[in-house]
Amino acid sequence: MGTESNIAVPASKSEVIVETKNLTKIYRDFWGRQKVRALKALDLDIRRGEIFGLLGPNGSGKTTTIKLLLGLLFPTSGEVNIFGLPASNVAKNEKIGYLPEESYLYRFLNAEETLDFYGRLFNISGAVRRQRVAQLISMVGLESAKKRQLREYSKGMTRRIGLAQALINDPDLIFLDEPTSGLDPIGTRNMKDLILELKAQGKTVLMSSHLLADVQDVCDRIGILYQGELKELGRVEDLLKIGEETEIRVKGLSEDAKNKIAQIIKEDNSEMVFCGNPTTSLEDLFLNIIAESEARPGKRVRGGGNE
């Protein structure tokens, strides 16, 4: 599609395609004095084919991190590598899609015209461009509104055409900044389904959000930022386990069996549905980490689990 990329993309699903080392960003005032430390010594890796959630309250450094990864900002110190290239190397952009928190699209264009315009920016040929536009409009569910100007679109429709625009170059890596922001429950569910579809296609997704349920529903791993520092990193299921407790769920257990638990489960021919560690919610985990971070500034809250 379009110009040939000079970026070799190995097929290994465990390949690290986004890596930061000691990444730090300090905003300074006119006089060069430190104004805000937006990001402090971030060490992060994102692997091919996963959905990675960057989680944190407003002002925690999520958007700054994404802009540093995209090369839209320059780090104060540290390194950023995308597909093995420095973030400042524009060659990487051929394989990247980006949905900002607010999509700045031409409101007088319709969906087809919008995607065609961005396809031209990537020098995609006319035949491939038309095919790609039709596929993306179908994917995001805007076939019935493809001839309407974007100024007539609802918030949810605008986010969906924004996602389609981010995918016009068939990227391997997609950055989504607050993808469900402002959406109603139906629009939120549709967006999450689209993100899961991207994973099924083999894409790698980095999404930032402060909406905990959205992250819990779709992400394989998460990193929790607070005041510019990485406080937690790991797989969602590992982070949510309550290691000190064991939960047993049994189906069809009689009242008599409930009084004897372990032995009666076997004697009662009941069905063992689940036995393992119960989990907390991502909301509880997040709030606990923030509370502990405020109580112990500068300390990593937990060990993490398998990353």
Side-chain angles (χ1 to χ4, degrees), residues 70-102:
L70 289 167
L72 300 177
L73 292 175
F74 295 101
T76 304
S77 62
E79 299 179 20
V80 185
N81 289 291
I82 312 291
F83 299 116
L85 298 173
S88 57
N89 190 325
V90 296
K92 74 183 191 315
N93 295 339
E94 298 175 18
K95 289 294 183 180
I96 291 178
Y98 174 43
L99 175 65
E101 186 173 0
E102 293 292 337

Side-chain angles (χ1 to χ4, degrees), residues 108-118 133 137 146 149:
F108 57 87
L109 298 179
N110 62 35
E112 289 181 323
E113 293 166 340
T114 296
L115 298 183
D116 183 76
F117 171 77
Y118 285 100
V133 167
I137 287 177
K146 63 184 180 182
Q149 291 184 339

Side-chain angles (χ1 to χ4, degrees), residues 46-287:
I46 300 173
R47 301 158 191 171
R48 180 174 300 281
E50 73 174 342
I51 302 176
F52 188 93
L54 199 57
L55 188 61
N58 293 329
S60 62
K62 302 188 303 297
T63 297
T64 294
T65 299
I66 288 180
K67 289 183 176 180
L68 287 166
L69 296 177
L70 289 167
L72 300 177
L73 292 175
F74 295 101
T76 304
S77 62
E79 299 179 20
V80 185
N81 289 291
I82 312 291
F83 299 116
L85 298 173
S88 57
N89 190 325
V90 296
K92 74 183 191 315
N93 295 339
E94 298 175 18
K95 289 294 183 180
I96 291 178
Y98 174 43
L99 175 65
E101 186 173 0
E102 293 292 337
S103 297
Y104 300 99
L105 303 172
Y106 295 106
R107 295 172 59 79
F108 57 87
L109 298 179
N110 62 35
E112 289 181 323
E113 293 166 340
T114 296
L115 298 183
D116 183 76
F117 171 77
Y118 285 100
R120 290 174 184 270
L121 294 181
F122 281 97
N123 294 319
I124 301 172
S125 67
V128 174
R129 196 168 64 244
R130 286 188 292 274
Q131 180 183 27
R132 186 73 180 150
V133 167
Q135 288 175 342
L136 289 172
I137 287 177
S138 175
M139 175 183 172
V140 299
L142 289 174
E143 291 173 299
S144 62
K146 63 184 180 182
K147 298 294 187 182
R148 290 169 55 185
Q149 291 184 339
L150 301 193
R151 64 183 179 182
E152 301 175 7
Y153 276 19
S154 66
K155 175 75 174 184
M157 296 168 71
T158 300
R159 293 305 276 167
R160 280 186 279 160
I161 194 60
L163 178 61
Q165 176 266 314
L167 300 174
I168 190 64
N169 58 321
D170 194 20
D172 290 310
L173 173 63
I174 302 124
F175 293 98
L176 306 177
D177 195 357
E178 303 286 355
T180 60
S181 176
L183 300 185
D184 62 21
I186 295 176
T188 297
R189 182 68 264 172
N190 290 338
M191 180 60 73
K192 289 191 286 190
D193 288 343
L194 288 171
I195 294 171
L196 291 171
E197 184 175 341
L198 292 174
K199 175 182 170 66
Q201 294 175 9
K203 309 293 186 183
T204 304
V205 179
L206 167 62
M207 62 176 284
S208 74
S209 182
H210 61 274
L211 301 176
L212 307 176
D214 296 349
V215 174
Q216 186 170 350
D217 285 347
V218 301
C219 290
D220 301 304
R221 290 193 304 142
I222 60 172
I224 296 180
L225 288 174
Y226 181 64
Q227 294 183 345
E229 295 186 62
L230 183 65
K231 295 296 184 179
E232 188 58 279
L233 176 66
R235 297 193 63 82
V236 174
E237 62 267 28
D238 294 331
L239 295 177
L240 297 185
K241 281 183 181 178
I242 304 173
E244 299 79 13
E245 301 178 19
T246 299
E247 181 178 66
I248 299 176
R249 294 165 55 196
V250 181
K251 184 176 180 180
L253 199 61
S254 67
E255 285 298 321
D256 182 55
K258 289 180 182 179
N259 297 324
K260 299 178 181 178
I261 304 297
Q263 183 175 351
I264 296 300
I265 289 175
K266 184 176 181 179
E267 296 177 354
D268 200 54
N269 294 319
S270 301
E271 180 183 354
M272 180 71 75
V273 177
F274 174 81
C275 181
N277 298 115
T279 62
T280 183
S281 69
L282 187 53
E283 180 177 7
D284 287 340
L285 172 73
F286 178 79
L287 293 176

